[in-house]
Amino acid sequence: ASDTLNCLNDSIQLQAISTTPDVNISWTGPASFTSNDLQPFVKDAGEYVLTLTGLNGCSVSDTILVVEDKIAPGALATGGTIDCLNDSIDLTGNTLLPLAVSFSWTGPGAFTSATQNPRVGVLGEYILIVESTNGCRSTDTTQVMADTVPPGALAVGDSLTCIRDSVQLLGSSPTPGVSYAWEGPVSFSSSLP
């Protein structure tokens, strides 16, 4: 009998039993492995052959396949941008393979979280560590950035006179894609530039 090599167990003990006393024990396996112990420790995956030889010269063999499961889950960390509408965002943790059992985040200001998608409000680099059931880990990093530069604004008015009882206000911005909102006396408001 054997176990599986993984990131938690980098060596395992083969389990063999002989009901015949005083037998010669011989194990062979991958990477030129040999042993005369009945229950040796091994570090390589592959087929192992146990041969027991009695005092009468008769022998019997059995084989065992040691498998290896060292597939990492593949961490995927996604950050985002804090702006004037959102002073915090959700980090997103995912995996390439559906093997994850735990998510662990670290970040600026001694930030830590065991939540898969924690909410953060501090700029900087965040590190995600994902661990799978086989003990293997994957790491990814992401950034939380800021976009808090206000748009440029220019407002031009004119004078009301006895000849002109209304004027046109002119609003403009060097920043593309902005919206306009005017406010003024007597509850004046407008969304026109």
Side-chain angles (χ1 to χ4, degrees), residues 7-84:
C7 295
L8 296 173
N9 303 314
D10 63 351
S11 69
I12 58 171
Q13 187 174 21
L14 301 178
Q15 302 291 324
I17 298 171
S18 172
T19 57
T20 305
D22 300 323
V23 294
N24 182 28
I25 302 161
S26 174
W27 282 97
T28 58
S32 303
F33 174 82
T34 60
S35 177
N36 298 112
D37 294 331
L38 191 59
Q39 299 179 346
F41 284 89
V42 297
K43 292 182 174 268
D44 296 305
E47 186 175 84
Y48 290 83
V49 178
L50 169 64
T51 302
L52 300 177
T53 305
L55 296 176
N56 62 0
C58 296
S59 63
V60 64
S61 295
D62 196 7
T63 61
I64 185 77
L65 182 64
V66 173
V67 296
E68 182 176 81
D69 177 14
K70 292 188 178 179
I71 299 172
L76 296 172
T78 305
T81 302
I82 292 173
D83 57 28
C84 295

Side-chain angles (χ1 to χ4, degrees), residues 2-3 9 20 47 54 85 108 115 119-120 127 129 165 174 184:
S2 76
D3 202 347
N9 303 314
T20 305
E47 186 175 84
L85 295 174
T115 304
R119 181 162 278 280
V120 297
I127 300 169
I129 299 173
D165 64 352

Side-chain angles (χ1 to χ4, degrees), residues 127-138:
I127 300 169
L128 170 65
I129 299 173
V130 179
E131 185 172 338
S132 63
T133 55
N134 62 8
C136 297
R137 293 180 172 192
S138 296

Side-chain angles (χ1 to χ4, degrees), residues 17 36 60 73 75 81 95 102 140 144 148 171 184 192:
I17 298 171
N36 298 112
V60 64
T81 302
T95 60
S102 71
D140 195 17
V144 173
T148 55
L192 299 173

